[in-house]
Amino acid sequence: MEQASRGRKPYYELTSAMVKTGILGYGGGPSVIPLIRYEAVNHYGWMEDEEFGEILALANALPGPIATKIAAYLGYRQKGTPGAIVAVIAHILPSSLAMIALLSVVGYLSSSTVVQGMIAAVVPVVAVMIGLMAYEFAERAVKGLGKPAGFGFFALSLVMLEVIHIHAAIVIIAFLAYGAFHFKAVRRLRGKLGKRGTPDDGKEDGS
């Protein structure tokens, strides 16, 4: 799917995807992530869901707005530095223009009961979108690590974030470091078991 996407019009696709997420993303960076994920994974097929989850974790660990960091990565992945520039501009330009246009009527909008009702209606939708994406990533984590380890890590991260109050970036970096160590250890163990099993298999075949 990725090659087919590149064969079409990558700059148009980047601009279209980032403009849509910039316009429809309400409530800041976290609320935009499900929209960017849909465009990158489901709509244009630029990457697999697992890769998007890894990029999301790395973006959370880096300073700055998360939505623009992911937009820059997607643009760079498709068309290098020019693509990153196009993606970031396309993502922030609609909201920037909207902010400028609404400054003249901000006093009225802040006191309007209609606008307050619209905001109150949108907030649950954003919460459900974020919760659904978190559930899907958690489901993959449990499948990869197993239920005991998966739920154990969920509890550990909750304690680190809410009880000890460790910064989220430090928690993410710690889990990324553990993940790298875990997969290396599993590969070495499988390699050793495979080497031990090879001579025995040969003897069984010979007999």
Side-chain angles (χ1 to χ4, degrees), residues 96-116:
S96 300
L97 295 176
M99 285 292 295
I100 295 173
L102 291 174
L103 282 176
S104 58
V105 291
V106 66
Y108 170 77
L109 293 176
S110 62
S111 59
S112 172
T113 56
V114 175
V115 173
Q116 291 177 1

Side-chain angles (χ1 to χ4, degrees), residues 11 72 75-88:
Y11 284 112
Y76 185 83
R77 192 179 188 278
Q78 295 301 108
K79 295 298 292 184
T81 302
I85 295 173
V86 169
V88 172

Side-chain angles (χ1 to χ4, degrees), residues 104-200:
S104 58
V105 291
V106 66
Y108 170 77
L109 293 176
S110 62
S111 59
S112 172
T113 56
V114 175
V115 173
Q116 291 177 1
M118 292 171 60
I119 293 173
V122 169
V123 170
V125 177
V126 174
V128 170
M129 290 172 61
I130 297 175
L132 180 60
M133 186 179 68
Y135 173 79
E136 290 177 355
F137 285 138
E139 188 178 22
R140 289 189 179 89
V142 170
K143 287 181 179 179
L145 296 171
K147 289 184 178 180
F151 288 112
F153 283 129
F154 294 154
L156 177 61
S157 62
L158 181 63
V159 170
M160 295 172 71
L161 291 170
E162 299 298 330
V163 179
I164 307 178
H165 299 292
I166 300 176
H167 195 278
I170 299 176
V171 176
I172 292 172
I173 292 172
F175 278 98
L176 287 174
Y178 171 79
F181 169 79
H182 175 84
F183 283 113
K184 285 184 180 179
V186 170
R187 286 177 182 175
R188 290 178 181 177
L189 180 61
R190 288 178 178 175
K192 290 180 180 180
L193 292 176
K195 290 180 180 178
R196 291 177 182 176
T198 302
D200 296 337

